[in-house]
Amino acid sequence: FKVNRIGRAILAYERAQRLMPGDEDVASNLQFANLLKVDRETDGEFNSMARFGRWLVNLFSANLLSVVCSLCLFGIAGALIGRMFRPDPPLRPVWTGVSASLGVLLLLSGALLAFKVHAREVQQAAVVLAGEADGRSGPGDDNIKVFTLHEGTKVLIQRSEGGWHLVRLPSGIGGWVRTKDVEKI
């Protein structure tokens, strides 16, 4: 960031945010670096439910969700064992309630983990590192220029072909850019 390589700085902050999703310093540095880039993504394109979903997905890391799922499984097993060895009628609702609560938490955290893993595998996010990257209608310089992206713009890679990536912007616009102009987060 200090040597004015905004694209590299945004890439580093995006990677740091994946490792530490709740870190306020990383989030504020990323937000500040995004203010200095040429291309702006408008947040108004998403409704409030989509913004909430994006916030929820980014709130927890995949590692943390894996730990939560594992602890829920062990907790459910412990509650079931407790119910088997302490079948006293007054404690039966307690063991059942603990098992049910942990089961719901397991389903929610497991679904969120599955979504994060699937999203990471299907569409990989990348950041434009070149000063300018032309988006074309097909993979090759002989195709029509559709748009121009500038350093620091975040895109989603949908597929790759012969030194080119098919990328999509949050607005839905897509095109082919050179592989050397972008780097995966």
Side-chain angles (χ1 to χ4, degrees), residues 16-85:
Q17 195 167 44
R18 281 192 176 179
L19 294 172
M20 303 175 300
D23 191 287
E24 292 178 16
D25 289 335
V26 172
S28 62
N29 287 339
L30 178 59
Q31 184 179 14
F32 183 71
N34 278 323
L35 291 174
L36 300 177
K37 66 184 183 180
V38 175
D39 298 332
R40 306 262 185 230
E41 291 101 19
T42 58
D43 206 27
E45 297 171 85
F46 302 100
N47 62 26
S48 59
M49 287 302 292
R51 273 197 306 275
F52 175 74
R54 220 171 7 143
W55 173 80
L56 185 63
V57 167
N58 292 330
L59 185 61
F60 305 108
S61 69
N63 291 341
L64 179 63
L65 289 170
S66 298
V67 169
V68 169
C69 287
S70 298
L71 290 175
C72 286
L73 283 173
F74 286 122
I76 290 170
L80 292 175
I81 290 170
R83 185 171 182 208
M84 282 184 353
F85 291 111

Side-chain angles (χ1 to χ4, degrees), residues 4 6 37 44-45 48 56 58 61 73 78 88 105 125 136 142 162 183 185:
N4 203 25
I6 301 300
K37 66 184 183 180
E45 297 171 85
S48 59
L56 185 63
N58 292 330
S61 69
L73 283 173
D88 301 337
L105 184 59
R136 302 209 172 258
D142 55 336
E183 188 170 329
I185 297 174

Side-chain angles (χ1 to χ4, degrees), residues 115-177:
F115 179 78
K116 282 183 85 87
V117 169
H118 176 72
R120 198 177 279 179
E121 289 176 3
V122 172
Q123 291 185 337
Q124 294 184 335
V127 175
V128 176
L129 296 182
E132 287 188 350
D134 291 333
R136 302 209 172 258
S137 61
D141 286 324
D142 55 336
N143 290 292
I144 298 170
K145 180 176 155 182
V146 180
F147 56 79
T148 300
L149 299 174
H150 297 89
E151 182 180 17
T153 303
K154 187 176 176 182
V155 296
L156 293 175
I157 298 174
Q158 294 189 313
R159 72 174 203 226
S160 301
E161 185 177 309
W164 292 80
H165 289 307
L166 175 60
V167 299
R168 187 143 323 268
L169 298 169
S171 64
I173 297 172
W176 292 86
V177 296

